[in-house]
Amino acid sequence: MNLSDTLDQGLQALNLPLAATGRQQLLDYLALLAKWNKVYNLTAVREPESMLRLHLLDSLAALTPLLRHTQGQPTRVLDVGSGGGLPGVAWAIAAPDSLRISCVDTVAKKARFIAQVGAELGLKNLIAEHARVEALDRPPFPVITSRAFASLADFVQLTRSLLAPGGVWMALKGQHPADEIAALPADVEVFHVEQLQVPGLDAQRCIVWMRPRG
């Protein structure tokens, strides 16, 4: 099965109907990731089909829960420690009218790659930020997400000043991180741990939804 067919099957399993343009942009992003990875070491995953499952579909599995949370309303999202642009770039491609994504990374070459992807694919809703997140000076975000960035406690501590009133943290994790949840500060509550099923991936995935108490 080629990459296009694998992607189509995955999108169907996730119930994410994308126009041909969006599907092609996801494949183009995958090609750019594989190309730049040879020089910039953006991800340890090298094989395109593995990248598709472990990165693209893994990120897209969390998109429907996010759009359910935002109720389809246009929303600014901060993707912290975005690396090669995951999940932010995948979300920007798949929900161009609903999400405006800022991807921040401390590594200049990774931020440069994300900016290049945005330029080449014409993603007007994607912003690349080269900065330490705790030093980022931007209006607060209704949703702050991370994927394999840091412990939950460090994630909320580093981004607290960037969370809008009424906003939520959305941490993408593997198996249920009970120890990390137990280590959260008392003024942060976990209001939902949502299990995810990634097509073609036999591994545990979940979203830890958090917000400030009170």
Side-chain angles (χ1 to χ4, degrees), residues 31-52:
L32 287 169
L33 189 60
K35 176 184 172 184
W36 282 56
N37 200 41
K38 293 172 185 171
V39 180
Y40 276 9
N41 197 28
L42 300 167
T43 167
V45 181
R46 301 288 176 189
E47 203 268 318
E49 185 163 346
S50 296
M51 281 185 179
L52 176 60

Side-chain angles (χ1 to χ4, degrees), residues 97-178:
D97 299 325
S98 304
L99 301 177
R100 183 171 177 80
I101 312 269
S102 294
C103 293
V104 60
D105 204 280
T106 58
V107 180
K109 63 186 179 182
K110 293 179 178 177
R112 196 154 55 239
F113 168 70
I114 294 167
Q116 184 68 22
V117 169
E120 287 201 29
L121 301 187
L123 303 175
K124 297 189 173 16
N125 61 328
L126 179 68
I127 300 164
E129 302 272 14
H130 172 223
R132 299 186 67 83
V133 66
E134 61 270 33
L136 192 64
D137 182 18
R138 293 290 179 271
F141 293 83
V143 177
I144 301 180
T145 192
S146 75
R147 178 179 180 265
F149 164 66
S151 71
L152 294 178
D154 287 345
F155 173 45
V156 300
Q157 179 185 350
L158 290 169
T159 60
R160 190 185 289 260
S161 66
L162 290 164
L163 189 69
V168 299
W169 289 288
M170 179 189 184
L172 278 55
K173 291 285 184 179
Q175 61 186 27
H176 188 292

Side-chain angles (χ1 to χ4, degrees), residues 2-77:
N2 62 32
L3 285 177
S4 179
D5 290 341
T6 304
L7 175 61
D8 285 346
Q9 276 195 3
L11 292 172
Q12 190 172 3
L14 292 171
N15 195 24
L16 267 180
L18 288 193
T21 304
R23 295 200 305 276
Q24 187 58 52
Q25 285 177 322
L26 287 172
L27 292 170
D28 290 345
Y29 167 50
L30 199 66
L32 287 169
L33 189 60
K35 176 184 172 184
W36 282 56
N37 200 41
K38 293 172 185 171
V39 180
Y40 276 9
N41 197 28
L42 300 167
T43 167
V45 181
R46 301 288 176 189
E47 203 268 318
E49 185 163 346
S50 296
M51 281 185 179
L52 176 60
R53 295 186 190 281
L54 291 168
H55 288 330
L56 270 191
L57 294 179
D58 187 76
S59 295
L60 291 170
L63 179 58
T64 297
L66 171 58
L67 295 177
R68 185 188 62 234
H69 170 77
T70 63
Q71 299 180 329
Q73 295 300 307
T75 303
R76 292 170 58 250
V77 177

